[in-house]
Amino acid sequence: MPDQHRTWWKEAVIYQIYPMSFMDSNNDGIGDLPGLMSKLDYLQYLGIDALWITPVYDSPNDDNGYDVRDYLSIAPQFGTMKDMETLIEELHSRGIRLIMDWVLNHSSDEHEWFEKACLSKDNPYHDYYIFQRHENGPPCNWRSMFGGSVWQYVEKLQEYYLHLYSRKMPDLNWENPEMRQAVYDMMLWWINKGVDGYRLDSLATLAKDTSFPNVPSSKEDGLGWGGRYFLNRSPVHEYLKEMNERVFSSRDVMTVGETGFISPEDALKYAGYERKELDTVFQFEIFDRILGTGDITEPASIPPAVLKQVFTLWQEKLQDKAWNTLFLENHDLPRSVSLMGDDGLYRELSAKALATLLLTLQGTPYIFQGQEIGMTNVNYSRIDSYRDIRTFSIYDQLKKRKNLSEEEIMKVIHQRSRDNARSPMQWNDSVYAGFSKQKPWISLNANYSSINVENEMGNPNSILHYYRDLIRLRKNYPDLVYGSFVPSVSSNEDVFTYCRHGKEYDFFIALNLGKKEQDLENHEQGKNYKPLIGNYSDFIGKDNSEKIRPYEARVFIKKR
Ligand code: NOJ
Ligand code: CA
């Protein structure tokens, strides 16, 4: 990797915070900015370099802040603009950068633009959104992500507006250059306040096919999308080039686009080094393959073979052309230890094996709050304990099927709900897990008395300590960041082995991502490599074993 490509955001380990569930300072049961600030010592202790916080803008909270009412103010539940300014200052004084979440595809229906848009067809804001006149029902059969049609009728205008998400989240019209400039101006406003980067929400859906063709196989009762008519369509690249030129190009601001259902070829279009669009994208291939296709009632777990195949593919395809992002969790996904590890007997070992994977590949790693202590899926027994709009639409959709019992439906929810990641952060074993002194807005995971930060800090062999150690290794060895990725073939489906070749050092990583002991047919470890870190305490001494134990992770190093 040539040196001119070195940048802070490639070397950074980024921590994602879902502020509603991180820390509550005023005991109203909802996490907030002062609460977040009270945990900066912890974040520093963990060793992360930047935070990505999900939206904290003023919002009626139809989708927990992804429905923005005012991009230039802070929702009262989170605090004030002053709190935000203090947060930026505090973070910067600790050398931590801040990445804001920017919602581009839609606003809230309570945003003043939309309110004006609905006043009349000649109002200039009318063209900020996507309205269609249609005589016999909705203009096409696309289904919204949150269930039902993507079209909502406005009596006064006798027109429908488009919403890919909820009815309260009307899509913005990216074909309108004035709307685009208004968005850029607001992004610049925040950059002037000191934000260091943007995570761009639902980026792949900005450019719609405005002939609005019907999707041939749309299911009336289904969730989801007429995807090909608005995912990754070429005008999105024109918008991004323009945004890059006007907002990012002359500033040290990093960007990561949320792009579902993309191939490595698509990613190169968004984030290729020469493209002048984005720095990086989140790709969801491991999730798309398991959670994004097929019947929703099918068991959702990601097998080792998929992890191995997909990570290898992306490492190889992007190498020297674009920079990968690495993540196993976010606020929309089940907990990784439940989805791709083992949240029972092997919770600790599998969480550490997954941590090893996350932090030894090429790319920028993201850790989602609680991942570093091995938090698990929530499994609330009743639907009314859930809070997420998408979870309710899955529930309603399954209820319509008639052949499923309540228990079977809840099983699907347990595996797939976005609330799995949204239960409050588990700080200690006191009431409400030290998150709040009041009943939180969403129930705690019942296991908080054993799985919590305080316990993890006190135990030198904990998942948390292992994360810290791995983060420190990335700091100490830039070759672990920049070194090239070379897979080392293992015919065993559960065993993932690869090398990283740097300027000064080479690394060899061997992971058993399954529950059974396996043969390690690969002998790289014998070739002058020394053990660097592993998740079994007797690793040193057993580092030449040709057996690799359940969820064992071994990292070796040698000087070149
Ligand atoms: C992706 C966000 O991560 C998710 O939480 C949200 O519901 C949608 N975009 C819509 O903004
Ligand atoms: Ca609060």
Side-chain angles (χ1 to χ4, degrees), residues 49-79:
D49 306 277
L51 297 185
W52 151 30
I53 56 172
T54 57
V56 289
Y57 315 103
D58 181 40
S59 161
N61 279 329
D62 195 48
D63 186 21
N64 290 359
Y66 281 95
D67 47 324
V68 180
R69 182 161 47 203
D70 180 0
Y71 289 81
L72 304 184
S73 68
I74 299 293
Q77 71 185 41
F78 292 126

PDB file of all heavy atoms in Angstrom, residues 49-79:
ATOM      1  N   ASP A  49     -10.768   5.507  18.269  1.00  0.00           N
ATOM      2  CA  ASP A  49     -10.291   6.781  17.714  1.00  0.00           C
ATOM      3  C   ASP A  49     -11.402   7.704  17.269  1.00  0.00           C
ATOM      4  O   ASP A  49     -11.186   8.895  17.079  1.00  0.00           O
ATOM      5  CB  ASP A  49      -9.425   6.508  16.480  1.00  0.00           C
ATOM      6  CG  ASP A  49      -8.326   5.543  16.804  1.00  0.00           C
ATOM      7  OD1 ASP A  49      -7.302   5.972  17.321  1.00  0.00           O
ATOM      8  OD2 ASP A  49      -8.501   4.319  16.552  1.00  0.00           O
ATOM      9  N   ALA A  50     -12.578   7.154  17.011  1.00  0.00           N
ATOM     10  CA  ALA A  50     -13.680   7.993  16.525  1.00  0.00           C
ATOM     11  C   ALA A  50     -14.997   7.369  16.947  1.00  0.00           C
ATOM     12  O   ALA A  50     -15.077   6.167  17.189  1.00  0.00           O
ATOM     13  CB  ALA A  50     -13.619   8.110  15.005  1.00  0.00           C
ATOM     14  N   LEU A  51     -16.004   8.227  17.060  1.00  0.00           N
ATOM     15  CA  LEU A  51     -17.359   7.758  17.344  1.00  0.00           C
ATOM     16  C   LEU A  51     -18.232   8.026  16.137  1.00  0.00           C
ATOM     17  O   LEU A  51     -18.132   9.076  15.518  1.00  0.00           O
ATOM     18  CB  LEU A  51     -17.997   8.548  18.491  1.00  0.00           C
ATOM     19  CG  LEU A  51     -17.389   8.498  19.873  1.00  0.00           C
ATOM     20  CD1 LEU A  51     -18.288   9.278  20.829  1.00  0.00           C
ATOM     21  CD2 LEU A  51     -17.269   7.053  20.311  1.00  0.00           C
ATOM     22  N   TRP A  52     -19.093   7.082  15.843  1.00  0.00           N
ATOM     23  CA  TRP A  52     -20.208   7.367  14.938  1.00  0.00           C
ATOM     24  C   TRP A  52     -21.448   7.323  15.813  1.00  0.00           C
ATOM     25  O   TRP A  52     -21.702   6.326  16.467  1.00  0.00           O
ATOM     26  CB  TRP A  52     -20.263   6.335  13.810  1.00  0.00           C
ATOM     27  CG  TRP A  52     -21.653   6.083  13.258  1.00  0.00           C
ATOM     28  CD1 TRP A  52     -22.690   6.970  13.194  1.00  0.00           C
ATOM     29  CD2 TRP A  52     -22.150   4.848  12.723  1.00  0.00           C
ATOM     30  NE1 TRP A  52     -23.808   6.373  12.642  1.00  0.00           N
ATOM     31  CE2 TRP A  52     -23.510   5.073  12.343  1.00  0.00           C
ATOM     32  CE3 TRP A  52     -21.593   3.594  12.510  1.00  0.00           C
ATOM     33  CZ2 TRP A  52     -24.296   4.077  11.777  1.00  0.00           C
ATOM     34  CZ3 TRP A  52     -22.383   2.602  11.946  1.00  0.00           C
ATOM     35  CH2 TRP A  52     -23.719   2.845  11.582  1.00  0.00           C
ATOM     36  N   ILE A  53     -22.174   8.442  15.887  1.00  0.00           N
ATOM     37  CA  ILE A  53     -23.424   8.419  16.648  1.00  0.00           C
ATOM     38  C   ILE A  53     -24.613   8.477  15.686  1.00  0.00           C
ATOM     39  O   ILE A  53     -24.617   9.255  14.731  1.00  0.00           O
ATOM     40  CB  ILE A  53     -23.515   9.553  17.701  1.00  0.00           C
ATOM     41  CG1 ILE A  53     -23.343  10.939  17.095  1.00  0.00           C
ATOM     42  CG2 ILE A  53     -22.485   9.350  18.805  1.00  0.00           C
ATOM     43  CD1 ILE A  53     -23.631  12.058  18.092  1.00  0.00           C
ATOM     44  N   THR A  54     -25.600   7.630  15.941  1.00  0.00           N
ATOM     45  CA  THR A  54     -26.811   7.644  15.106  1.00  0.00           C
ATOM     46  C   THR A  54     -27.575   8.946  15.393  1.00  0.00           C
ATOM     47  O   THR A  54     -27.265   9.646  16.362  1.00  0.00           O
ATOM     48  CB  THR A  54     -27.669   6.389  15.350  1.00  0.00           C
ATOM     49  OG1 THR A  54     -27.984   6.323  16.732  1.00  0.00           O
ATOM     50  CG2 THR A  54     -26.920   5.119  14.956  1.00  0.00           C
ATOM     51  N   PRO A  55     -28.549   9.332  14.551  1.00  0.00           N
ATOM     52  CA  PRO A  55     -29.079  10.697  14.575  1.00  0.00           C
ATOM     53  C   PRO A  55     -29.570  11.188  15.946  1.00  0.00           C
ATOM     54  O   PRO A  55     -30.292  10.482  16.643  1.00  0.00           O
ATOM     55  CB  PRO A  55     -30.238  10.642  13.586  1.00  0.00           C
ATOM     56  CG  PRO A  55     -29.878   9.558  12.649  1.00  0.00           C
ATOM     57  CD  PRO A  55     -29.147   8.530  13.483  1.00  0.00           C
ATOM     58  N   VAL A  56     -29.141  12.410  16.256  1.00  0.00           N
ATOM     59  CA  VAL A  56     -29.592  13.059  17.501  1.00  0.00           C
ATOM     60  C   VAL A  56     -30.331  14.361  17.180  1.00  0.00           C
ATOM     61  O   VAL A  56     -30.570  15.171  18.047  1.00  0.00           O
ATOM     62  CB  VAL A  56     -28.395  13.357  18.450  1.00  0.00           C
ATOM     63  CG1 VAL A  56     -27.850  12.066  19.049  1.00  0.00           C
ATOM     64  CG2 VAL A  56     -27.278  14.115  17.733  1.00  0.00           C
ATOM     65  N   TYR A  57     -30.676  14.534  15.912  1.00  0.00           N
ATOM     66  CA  TYR A  57     -31.390  15.751  15.498  1.00  0.00           C
ATOM     67  C   TYR A  57     -32.827  15.695  16.000  1.00  0.00           C
ATOM     68  O   TYR A  57     -33.356  14.624  16.291  1.00  0.00           O
ATOM     69  CB  TYR A  57     -31.402  15.867  13.970  1.00  0.00           C
ATOM     70  CG  TYR A  57     -30.082  15.575  13.315  1.00  0.00           C
ATOM     71  CD1 TYR A  57     -29.856  14.357  12.674  1.00  0.00           C
ATOM     72  CD2 TYR A  57     -29.042  16.511  13.350  1.00  0.00           C
ATOM     73  CE1 TYR A  57     -28.640  14.084  12.079  1.00  0.00           C
ATOM     74  CE2 TYR A  57     -27.822  16.242  12.761  1.00  0.00           C
ATOM     75  CZ  TYR A  57     -27.618  15.023  12.122  1.00  0.00           C
ATOM     76  OH  TYR A  57     -26.418  14.742  11.546  1.00  0.00           O
ATOM     77  N   ASP A  58     -33.444  16.865  16.012  1.00  0.00           N
ATOM     78  CA  ASP A  58     -34.843  16.938  16.416  1.00  0.00           C
ATOM     79  C   ASP A  58     -35.693  16.026  15.527  1.00  0.00           C
ATOM     80  O   ASP A  58     -35.555  16.055  14.292  1.00  0.00           O
ATOM     81  CB  ASP A  58     -35.325  18.395  16.297  1.00  0.00           C
ATOM     82  CG  ASP A  58     -36.764  18.509  16.736  1.00  0.00           C
ATOM     83  OD1 ASP A  58     -37.121  17.855  17.731  1.00  0.00           O
ATOM     84  OD2 ASP A  58     -37.525  19.234  16.080  1.00  0.00           O
ATOM     85  N   SER A  59     -36.560  15.258  16.151  1.00  0.00           N
ATOM     86  CA  SER A  59     -37.298  14.239  15.401  1.00  0.00           C
ATOM     87  C   SER A  59     -38.544  13.822  16.157  1.00  0.00           C
ATOM     88  O   SER A  59     -38.531  13.745  17.387  1.00  0.00           O
ATOM     89  CB  SER A  59     -36.397  13.015  15.231  1.00  0.00           C
ATOM     90  OG  SER A  59     -37.147  11.874  14.908  1.00  0.00           O
ATOM     91  N   PRO A  60     -39.641  13.519  15.442  1.00  0.00           N
ATOM     92  CA  PRO A  60     -40.800  12.946  16.150  1.00  0.00           C
ATOM     93  C   PRO A  60     -40.594  11.466  16.485  1.00  0.00           C
ATOM     94  O   PRO A  60     -41.475  10.840  17.062  1.00  0.00           O
ATOM     95  CB  PRO A  60     -41.948  13.146  15.156  1.00  0.00           C
ATOM     96  CG  PRO A  60     -41.325  13.357  13.827  1.00  0.00           C
ATOM     97  CD  PRO A  60     -39.915  13.838  14.031  1.00  0.00           C
ATOM     98  N   ASN A  61     -39.453  10.896  16.102  1.00  0.00           N
ATOM     99  CA  ASN A  61     -39.082   9.527  16.509  1.00  0.00           C
ATOM    100  C   ASN A  61     -40.006   8.436  15.989  1.00  0.00           C
ATOM    101  O   ASN A  61     -40.279   7.467  16.706  1.00  0.00           O
ATOM    102  CB  ASN A  61     -39.023   9.413  18.038  1.00  0.00           C
ATOM    103  CG  ASN A  61     -37.713   9.940  18.566  1.00  0.00           C
ATOM    104  OD1 ASN A  61     -36.685   9.846  17.870  1.00  0.00           O
ATOM    105  ND2 ASN A  61     -37.720  10.510  19.744  1.00  0.00           N
ATOM    106  N   ASP A  62     -40.438   8.575  14.761  1.00  0.00           N
ATOM    107  CA  ASP A  62     -41.181   7.458  14.181  1.00  0.00           C
ATOM    108  C   ASP A  62     -40.218   6.298  13.943  1.00  0.00           C
ATOM    109  O   ASP A  62     -40.571   5.134  14.053  1.00  0.00           O
ATOM    110  CB  ASP A  62     -41.826   7.890  12.854  1.00  0.00           C
ATOM    111  CG  ASP A  62     -42.881   6.911  12.404  1.00  0.00           C
ATOM    112  OD1 ASP A  62     -43.731   6.529  13.244  1.00  0.00           O
ATOM    113  OD2 ASP A  62     -42.854   6.489  11.228  1.00  0.00           O
ATOM    114  N   ASP A  63     -38.978   6.627  13.591  1.00  0.00           N
ATOM    115  CA  ASP A  63     -37.943   5.609  13.365  1.00  0.00           C
ATOM    116  C   ASP A  63     -36.704   5.991  14.180  1.00  0.00           C
ATOM    117  O   ASP A  63     -35.585   6.029  13.670  1.00  0.00           O
ATOM    118  CB  ASP A  63     -37.632   5.513  11.857  1.00  0.00           C
ATOM    119  CG  ASP A  63     -36.673   4.381  11.529  1.00  0.00           C
ATOM    120  OD1 ASP A  63     -36.551   3.445  12.339  1.00  0.00           O
ATOM    121  OD2 ASP A  63     -36.040   4.439  10.451  1.00  0.00           O
ATOM    122  N   ASN A  64     -36.930   6.294  15.450  1.00  0.00           N
ATOM    123  CA  ASN A  64     -35.833   6.630  16.371  1.00  0.00           C
ATOM    124  C   ASN A  64     -34.793   7.592  15.780  1.00  0.00           C
ATOM    125  O   ASN A  64     -33.595   7.317  15.801  1.00  0.00           O
ATOM    126  CB  ASN A  64     -35.131   5.355  16.854  1.00  0.00           C
ATOM    127  CG  ASN A  64     -36.012   4.540  17.781  1.00  0.00           C
ATOM    128  OD1 ASN A  64     -37.143   4.942  18.065  1.00  0.00           O
ATOM    129  ND2 ASN A  64     -35.516   3.425  18.245  1.00  0.00           N
ATOM    130  N   GLY A  65     -35.256   8.690  15.259  1.00  0.00           N
ATOM    131  CA  GLY A  65     -34.338   9.739  14.834  1.00  0.00           C
ATOM    132  C   GLY A  65     -33.966   9.714  13.369  1.00  0.00           C
ATOM    133  O   GLY A  65     -33.410  10.691  12.853  1.00  0.00           O
ATOM    134  N   TYR A  66     -34.244   8.614  12.679  1.00  0.00           N
ATOM    135  CA  TYR A  66     -33.961   8.590  11.234  1.00  0.00           C
ATOM    136  C   TYR A  66     -35.048   9.337  10.458  1.00  0.00           C
ATOM    137  O   TYR A  66     -35.038   9.382   9.233  1.00  0.00           O
ATOM    138  CB  TYR A  66     -33.779   7.161  10.729  1.00  0.00           C
ATOM    139  CG  TYR A  66     -32.387   6.645  11.076  1.00  0.00           C
ATOM    140  CD1 TYR A  66     -32.155   5.895  12.205  1.00  0.00           C
ATOM    141  CD2 TYR A  66     -31.293   6.982  10.276  1.00  0.00           C
ATOM    142  CE1 TYR A  66     -30.874   5.464  12.544  1.00  0.00           C
ATOM    143  CE2 TYR A  66     -30.014   6.559  10.595  1.00  0.00           C
ATOM    144  CZ  TYR A  66     -29.806   5.799  11.729  1.00  0.00           C
ATOM    145  OH  TYR A  66     -28.539   5.392  12.041  1.00  0.00           O
ATOM    146  N   ASP A  67     -35.994   9.896  11.184  1.00  0.00           N
ATOM    147  CA  ASP A  67     -37.009  10.770  10.596  1.00  0.00           C
ATOM    148  C   ASP A  67     -36.724  12.170  11.163  1.00  0.00           C
ATOM    149  O   ASP A  67     -37.188  12.527  12.239  1.00  0.00           O
ATOM    150  CB  ASP A  67     -38.423  10.286  10.968  1.00  0.00           C
ATOM    151  CG  ASP A  67     -38.604   9.950  12.452  1.00  0.00           C
ATOM    152  OD1 ASP A  67     -37.660   9.433  13.093  1.00  0.00           O
ATOM    153  OD2 ASP A  67     -39.701  10.234  12.992  1.00  0.00           O
ATOM    154  N   VAL A  68     -35.918  12.948  10.423  1.00  0.00           N
ATOM    155  CA  VAL A  68     -35.396  14.199  10.969  1.00  0.00           C
ATOM    156  C   VAL A  68     -36.375  15.356  10.730  1.00  0.00           C
ATOM    157  O   VAL A  68     -36.802  15.601   9.604  1.00  0.00           O
ATOM    158  CB  VAL A  68     -34.028  14.537  10.336  1.00  0.00           C
ATOM    159  CG1 VAL A  68     -33.487  15.840  10.907  1.00  0.00           C
ATOM    160  CG2 VAL A  68     -33.036  13.402  10.572  1.00  0.00           C
ATOM    161  N   ARG A  69     -36.703  16.050  11.820  1.00  0.00           N
ATOM    162  CA  ARG A  69     -37.600  17.204  11.707  1.00  0.00           C
ATOM    163  C   ARG A  69     -36.792  18.474  11.474  1.00  0.00           C
ATOM    164  O   ARG A  69     -37.204  19.386  10.780  1.00  0.00           O
ATOM    165  CB  ARG A  69     -38.444  17.316  12.975  1.00  0.00           C
ATOM    166  CG  ARG A  69     -39.459  18.449  12.963  1.00  0.00           C
ATOM    167  CD  ARG A  69     -40.555  18.250  13.996  1.00  0.00           C
ATOM    168  NE  ARG A  69     -40.003  17.886  15.292  1.00  0.00           N
ATOM    169  CZ  ARG A  69     -40.690  17.228  16.239  1.00  0.00           C
ATOM    170  NH1 ARG A  69     -41.937  16.858  16.041  1.00  0.00           N
ATOM    171  NH2 ARG A  69     -40.127  16.935  17.386  1.00  0.00           N
ATOM    172  N   ASP A  70     -35.615  18.529  12.094  1.00  0.00           N
ATOM    173  CA  ASP A  70     -34.771  19.712  11.908  1.00  0.00           C
ATOM    174  C   ASP A  70     -33.302  19.292  12.030  1.00  0.00           C
ATOM    175  O   ASP A  70     -32.864  18.906  13.113  1.00  0.00           O
ATOM    176  CB  ASP A  70     -35.125  20.760  12.969  1.00  0.00           C
ATOM    177  CG  ASP A  70     -34.276  22.020  12.832  1.00  0.00           C
ATOM    178  OD1 ASP A  70     -33.416  22.073  11.917  1.00  0.00           O
ATOM    179  OD2 ASP A  70     -34.466  22.948  13.639  1.00  0.00           O
ATOM    180  N   TYR A  71     -32.602  19.383  10.906  1.00  0.00           N
ATOM    181  CA  TYR A  71     -31.209  18.909  10.874  1.00  0.00           C
ATOM    182  C   TYR A  71     -30.267  19.814  11.664  1.00  0.00           C
ATOM    183  O   TYR A  71     -29.139  19.448  11.919  1.00  0.00           O
ATOM    184  CB  TYR A  71     -30.704  18.813   9.428  1.00  0.00           C
ATOM    185  CG  TYR A  71     -31.317  17.689   8.632  1.00  0.00           C
ATOM    186  CD1 TYR A  71     -32.580  17.813   8.049  1.00  0.00           C
ATOM    187  CD2 TYR A  71     -30.626  16.488   8.447  1.00  0.00           C
ATOM    188  CE1 TYR A  71     -33.135  16.775   7.311  1.00  0.00           C
ATOM    189  CE2 TYR A  71     -31.171  15.451   7.704  1.00  0.00           C
ATOM    190  CZ  TYR A  71     -32.424  15.599   7.140  1.00  0.00           C
ATOM    191  OH  TYR A  71     -32.972  14.571   6.415  1.00  0.00           O
ATOM    192  N   LEU A  72     -30.732  21.007  11.998  1.00  0.00           N
ATOM    193  CA  LEU A  72     -29.838  21.960  12.655  1.00  0.00           C
ATOM    194  C   LEU A  72     -30.176  22.139  14.125  1.00  0.00           C
ATOM    195  O   LEU A  72     -29.743  23.103  14.753  1.00  0.00           O
ATOM    196  CB  LEU A  72     -29.863  23.311  11.929  1.00  0.00           C
ATOM    197  CG  LEU A  72     -29.534  23.262  10.438  1.00  0.00           C
ATOM    198  CD1 LEU A  72     -29.481  24.676   9.840  1.00  0.00           C
ATOM    199  CD2 LEU A  72     -28.206  22.555  10.168  1.00  0.00           C
ATOM    200  N   SER A  73     -30.952  21.221  14.681  1.00  0.00           N
ATOM    201  CA  SER A  73     -31.132  21.302  16.130  1.00  0.00           C
ATOM    202  C   SER A  73     -31.109  19.910  16.748  1.00  0.00           C
ATOM    203  O   SER A  73     -31.270  18.906  16.061  1.00  0.00           O
ATOM    204  CB  SER A  73     -32.400  22.075  16.492  1.00  0.00           C
ATOM    205  OG  SER A  73     -33.517  21.332  16.100  1.00  0.00           O
ATOM    206  N   ILE A  74     -30.895  19.878  18.056  1.00  0.00           N
ATOM    207  CA  ILE A  74     -30.753  18.618  18.774  1.00  0.00           C
ATOM    208  C   ILE A  74     -32.086  18.266  19.429  1.00  0.00           C
ATOM    209  O   ILE A  74     -32.754  19.140  19.982  1.00  0.00           O
ATOM    210  CB  ILE A  74     -29.659  18.769  19.870  1.00  0.00           C
ATOM    211  CG1 ILE A  74     -28.307  19.117  19.244  1.00  0.00           C
ATOM    212  CG2 ILE A  74     -29.552  17.531  20.762  1.00  0.00           C
ATOM    213  CD1 ILE A  74     -27.700  18.017  18.395  1.00  0.00           C
ATOM    214  N   ALA A  75     -32.474  17.017  19.359  1.00  0.00           N
ATOM    215  CA  ALA A  75     -33.728  16.596  19.998  1.00  0.00           C
ATOM    216  C   ALA A  75     -33.614  16.823  21.500  1.00  0.00           C
ATOM    217  O   ALA A  75     -32.618  16.425  22.101  1.00  0.00           O
ATOM    218  CB  ALA A  75     -33.978  15.121  19.716  1.00  0.00           C
ATOM    219  N   PRO A  76     -34.652  17.444  22.101  1.00  0.00           N
ATOM    220  CA  PRO A  76     -34.593  17.727  23.545  1.00  0.00           C
ATOM    221  C   PRO A  76     -34.280  16.486  24.387  1.00  0.00           C
ATOM    222  O   PRO A  76     -33.606  16.582  25.398  1.00  0.00           O
ATOM    223  CB  PRO A  76     -35.986  18.268  23.857  1.00  0.00           C
ATOM    224  CG  PRO A  76     -36.533  18.732  22.544  1.00  0.00           C
ATOM    225  CD  PRO A  76     -35.871  17.935  21.467  1.00  0.00           C
ATOM    226  N   GLN A  77     -34.746  15.314  23.969  1.00  0.00           N
ATOM    227  CA  GLN A  77     -34.471  14.113  24.771  1.00  0.00           C
ATOM    228  C   GLN A  77     -32.970  13.844  24.893  1.00  0.00           C
ATOM    229  O   GLN A  77     -32.523  13.206  25.849  1.00  0.00           O
ATOM    230  CB  GLN A  77     -35.163  12.881  24.171  1.00  0.00           C
ATOM    231  CG  GLN A  77     -34.516  12.407  22.866  1.00  0.00           C
ATOM    232  CD  GLN A  77     -35.265  11.260  22.203  1.00  0.00           C
ATOM    233  OE1 GLN A  77     -36.493  11.245  22.156  1.00  0.00           O
ATOM    234  NE2 GLN A  77     -34.548  10.298  21.669  1.00  0.00           N
ATOM    235  N   PHE A  78     -32.196  14.338  23.923  1.00  0.00           N
ATOM    236  CA  PHE A  78     -30.745  14.103  23.958  1.00  0.00           C
ATOM    237  C   PHE A  78     -29.978  15.241  24.618  1.00  0.00           C
ATOM    238  O   PHE A  78     -28.816  15.086  24.960  1.00  0.00           O
ATOM    239  CB  PHE A  78     -30.193  13.893  22.547  1.00  0.00           C
ATOM    240  CG  PHE A  78     -30.654  12.614  21.904  1.00  0.00           C
ATOM    241  CD1 PHE A  78     -31.268  12.620  20.654  1.00  0.00           C
ATOM    242  CD2 PHE A  78     -30.477  11.395  22.551  1.00  0.00           C
ATOM    243  CE1 PHE A  78     -31.695  11.433  20.066  1.00  0.00           C
ATOM    244  CE2 PHE A  78     -30.901  10.201  21.966  1.00  0.00           C
ATOM    245  CZ  PHE A  78     -31.516  10.227  20.712  1.00  0.00           C
ATOM    246  N   GLY A  79     -30.604  16.411  24.746  1.00  0.00           N
ATOM    247  CA  GLY A  79     -29.922  17.546  25.345  1.00  0.00           C
ATOM    248  C   GLY A  79     -30.055  18.775  24.476  1.00  0.00           C
ATOM    249  O   GLY A  79     -31.067  18.963  23.791  1.00  0.00           O
TER     250      GLY A  79
END
